[in-house]
Amino acid sequence: MLPRPNFAAHRDAVLSQLPPDEAVLVFSGAPTLRNGDSEHRYRPDSDVYWLTGWTDPTCAVFLRAGEEPLTMFVRPKDREREVWEGWRPGVDGARRDFGADAAFPYADLPKELPRLLQGVRALHYAFACDADNDTLVMGSVSRAARKAKRTGMVTPETYHHPVRVLHEVRLHKQPGELALMREAARVSAEAHVAAMLATRPGVTEYAIESVLIDTFLRSGSTGAGYTPIVAGGANATVLHYVTNRDTLEDGELLLVDAGAEVGFYTADITRTWPVSGRFTEVQRRAYEHVLAAQEAAIAAAVVGAAFTDIHDAAVRRLTEGMIDLGLLEGDVDERIEDASFKRYYMHGTSHWLGLDVHDVGAYASEGAPRSLHAGQVLTVEPGLYIATDDEDAPAALRGLGIRIEDDILVTPEGPEVLTAGVPKSPDAIEALLAGR
Ligand code: GLY
Ligand code: MN
Ligand code: MN
């Protein structure tokens, strides 16, 4: 059995930050069609899930400090629809099993929301994400305000994006969440090892993807937390390559960026390894620069450091590598200053990780980078990408794409690498591949 996050503790943590005249409103959308009448597999909205554990589609959650903090609007039981779509907890289930103090059919939201908004001065709601929800919220605020003219109650005057409170609390992972993140990391590491062992010249990128997905599903994951990148050779220089249709060739590197989602929490791992089983001399040299950059960046992920310290450490070490490899010339500080390193390292080094692969939480506050706290989880993922047609680059480096990505828990004792179960040093990778 997977550990279950303590959703009531999540709500309590938000409520402790919320004055009595503020409320949170979040929505989980309807299933979406892929084409015809075939639907995508439903995945709940992360805010709704985090607050309640509710996974049924089409739901709204209203949270406000008081006697009855949690109100849920859910799909009611419907015997005929359940024959096609499966069992639903329904309104009673929301109260009985999900901690709702009050629950209504979703269709009652326009009627009930103006009442719930009485006495709410500030509403935490993500405007401009869903036009239908925006219309519903604006209509409800308008009706609430008209009614309040007679009662003298306050109604929403101020709106906050959930990043202000809800996402700030989500950013600091609780023990139940970390248990799932560790499991997602473990399964993802196992999948990367299986993918390494399945790699040889003539195997396709999609065959490697199938090994990843197979390992995820067998381990109880519901699948990938994002579309896996399985990029042989120069495909690895396309940062968001997800086509995964080519055949792997002897002599090239394979970059795999894939993470399993376990209990809706995802891992995010990238490894790059030689299809033949052995790095060429130039591949190993480039790889070691990326690895050194990653190690320097991980070492910067300590309590009290600025979020940007991680990227700065990676950029400095990568830029040294670019000069060593003949990609750039001159002085490290100058190449950082004029940003010429961006030609070969054009993305950020870290993002928050959790229910979403690029998880919620601000990266800066009033123009200043935020400082790191224990309980935050982030990726560290430096890379080096040399376009095939880069005529300024040494010919042996053209078409090379390398990224190394791990998931890091910030702790008072220092950075903890959650994804250490997959080899990373060139020697360890070659040793594993030699055993295929
Ligand atoms: N897999 C997405 C990322 O690395 O950011
Ligand atoms: Mn990432
Ligand atoms: Mn990734």
Side-chain angles (χ1 to χ4, degrees), residues 226 257 268-270 351 353 357-358 379 381 403 405 407:
Y226 53 92
D257 183 344
D268 184 6
I269 302 180
T270 307
H351 54 79
L353 185 72
V357 62
H358 289 189
T379 67
E381 50 180 302
R403 179 164 66 256
E405 175 173 27
D407 304 342

Side-chain angles (χ1 to χ4, degrees), residues 27-30 106 125-138:
F27 289 84
S28 212
Y106 190 82
Y125 165 73
F127 269 112
C129 292
D130 182 293
D132 291 341
N133 291 345
D134 289 353
T135 303
L136 193 145
V137 170
M138 289 187 290

Side-chain angles (χ1 to χ4, degrees), residues 8-20 22 24 50-51 63-66 69 165-166 168-169 174:
H10 297 174
R11 292 194 294 276
D12 287 345
V14 173
L15 288 168
S16 73
Q17 308 278 315
L18 223 51
E22 300 196 8
V24 169
W50 185 85
L51 282 168
L63 188 71
R64 181 183 173 192
V165 173
L166 178 58
E168 194 59 27
V169 182
Q174 301 204 10

Side-chain angles (χ1 to χ4, degrees), residues 114-384:
R115 174 182 63 77
L116 290 169
L117 291 172
Q118 300 295 317
V120 172
R121 192 182 299 274
L123 183 64
H124 296 247
Y125 165 73
F127 269 112
C129 292
D130 182 293
D132 291 341
N133 291 345
D134 289 353
T135 303
L136 193 145
V137 170
M138 289 187 290
S140 299
V141 169
S142 164
R143 262 176 287 136
R146 263 179 278 145
K147 184 168 175 211
K149 278 203 178 121
R150 298 189 298 274
T151 62
M153 302 283 277
V154 294
T155 54
E157 299 164 355
T158 308
Y159 300 88
H160 296 302
H161 190 276
V163 74
R164 177 73 72 93
V165 173
L166 178 58
H167 294 174
E168 194 59 27
V169 182
R170 260 182 68 187
L171 178 55
H172 299 85
K173 271 55 184 180
Q174 301 204 10
E177 305 185 270
L178 286 173
L180 287 167
M181 294 196 72
R182 287 181 196 283
E183 179 62 6
R186 188 192 67 75
V187 171
S188 304
E190 192 182 313
H192 275 255
V193 169
M196 285 180 181
L197 293 174
T199 301
R200 46 187 56 80
V203 168
T204 56
E205 293 168 340
Y206 51 87
I208 299 298
E209 182 176 350
S210 79
V211 171
L212 296 162
I213 301 295
D214 180 79
T215 313
F216 292 170
L217 297 181
R218 278 173 195 278
S219 311
S221 149
T222 45
Y226 53 92
T227 309
I229 296 171
V230 183
N235 291 338
T237 64
V238 179
L239 297 180
H240 287 174
Y241 177 82
V242 287
T243 319
N244 303 354
R245 298 308 299 174
D246 282 350
T247 300
L248 303 176
E249 290 181 19
D250 206 3
E252 66 186 18
L253 295 178
L254 171 61
L255 182 155
V256 170
D257 183 344
E261 191 174 75
V262 174
F264 299 112
Y265 287 79
T266 193
D268 184 6
I269 302 180
T270 307
R271 289 290 185 270
T272 309
W273 62 87
V275 171
S276 71
R278 292 192 68 86
F279 289 92
T280 65
E281 206 179 307
V282 72
Q283 287 168 348
R284 182 181 266 257
R285 207 165 129 205
Y287 185 95
E288 279 174 343
H289 284 303
V290 179
L291 182 57
Q294 202 224 17
E295 284 166 350
I298 290 173
V302 295
V303 171
F307 183 83
T308 45
D309 290 348
I310 305 170
H311 183 61
D312 291 347
V315 162
R316 173 157 295 276
R317 185 59 190 81
L318 279 172
T319 306
E320 285 170 19
M322 290 172 203
I323 293 168
D324 176 63
L325 292 166
L327 291 165
L328 298 179
E329 288 179 350
D331 175 73
V332 175
D333 289 315
E334 283 170 16
R335 295 296 77 82
I336 293 172
E337 181 64 29
D338 68 12
S340 47
F341 68 87
K342 287 189 177 170
R343 180 160 172 176
Y344 302 111
Y345 181 47
M346 59 297 277
H347 60 75
T349 302
S350 298
H351 54 79
W352 306 125
L353 185 72
L355 283 168
D356 302 342
V357 62
H358 289 189
D359 205 34
V360 293
Y363 292 99
S365 171
E366 293 175 7
R370 72 180 308 146
S371 57
L372 299 178
H373 288 265
Q376 294 170 336
V377 181
L378 48 84
T379 67
V380 176
E381 50 180 302
L384 190 61

